Amino acid sequence: GRRSFGEAMVPVVLRCACGASGVSGRRALGRAKASAGSTGAHGLTLRSALGAKEGGARRLQPVRALDPSVCLSVAQEEIAFAAALAAETYLTAKKKKELTGEDTNFVHPAAVIGAILLSSGLIQTQNDLLGKVGFLFSSIAAFAVIGKYAKRFLEAGEGAIDDWPGPKAVPAFGIFMSLMAFLASTQALTRV
């Protein structure tokens, strides 16, 4: 005849639980058949045949997946943000070298860009835990970049009237760009 849902799940539960309990598959299956979920031949329930403690059942918990469209859109935006940040850092360093002859330390920008790209990779996994960690790290990195651009904006002097767009334009655009990346990952973090 027809088996109930519980009877149909016994092989699946056995396969999942046997590896973690140290009980061999044949041995657990033999015990489970003998006990059939009730105290029978050997006085064992299916739980005790699998080696679980009485009162605590081992359950197979599927990994939750995040919404693929949210993950894809935020991950793409973070990659574009990292690319724009890298390009702006390089062009600003090149201009600074031409004007003042000073070299730029690329350690901090490289670390932030690396953190953003790593976060984007974590987001693309669509795994519940890794994705949320990626959203969180991405938000923190974008917030740090907002601070960097705000400092540059405040330190920039007034340019001449004919000097368009002026020395504050790039930091202002950097603040805007960073704010959009921050809001995208923070809003996605609250949605998932």
Side-chain angles (χ1 to χ4, degrees):
R2 206 171 163 158
R3 296 190 308 178
S4 70
F5 178 75
E7 292 172 339
M9 288 301 294
V10 168
V12 174
V13 171
L14 286 173
R15 267 184 272 144
C16 296
C18 287
S21 68
V23 176
S24 70
R26 280 192 191 152
R27 189 169 155 199
L29 185 58
R31 288 181 181 177
K33 284 182 180 178
S35 64
S38 63
T39 55
H42 299 3
L44 299 172
T45 63
L46 177 59
R47 237 186 291 166
S48 63
L50 292 174
K53 296 176 183 172
E54 292 296 330
R58 291 185 186 185
R59 293 187 185 149
L60 183 63
Q61 300 270 333
V63 175
R64 285 188 47 219
L66 299 177
D67 184 12
S69 62
V70 171
C71 290
L72 181 64
S73 64
V74 173
Q76 286 177 344
E77 183 172 338
E78 296 302 327
I79 290 171
F81 174 54
L85 187 60
E88 191 277 327
T89 302
Y90 173 74
L91 292 174
T92 301
K94 185 176 173 186
K95 185 176 179 182
K96 181 179 175 183
K97 177 89 169 167
E98 290 173 0
L99 294 176
T100 64
E102 293 180 37
D103 287 334
T104 301
N105 185 359
F106 287 108
V107 174
H108 291 104
V112 171
I113 292 168
I116 292 169
L117 291 175
L118 177 67
S119 299
S120 178
L122 291 174
I123 293 168
Q124 286 180 354
T125 64
Q126 298 176 8
N127 180 289
D128 185 42
L129 178 63
L130 294 178
K132 288 180 181 178
V133 169
F135 288 135
L136 181 65
F137 283 168
S138 178
S139 297
I140 292 169
F143 192 72
V145 174
I146 289 173
K148 180 192 105 167
Y149 279 120
K151 180 180 176 191
R152 279 181 52 194
F153 180 82
L154 294 173
E155 290 175 351
E158 296 296 324
I161 294 175
D162 59 344
D163 185 24
W164 191 87
K168 292 188 175 189
V170 172
F173 181 72
I175 292 170
F176 172 74
M177 177 177 61
S178 305
L179 182 62
M180 292 300 109
F182 174 75
L183 292 174
S185 32
T186 305
Q187 188 176 24
L189 182 60
T190 60
R191 262 186 86 196
V192 294

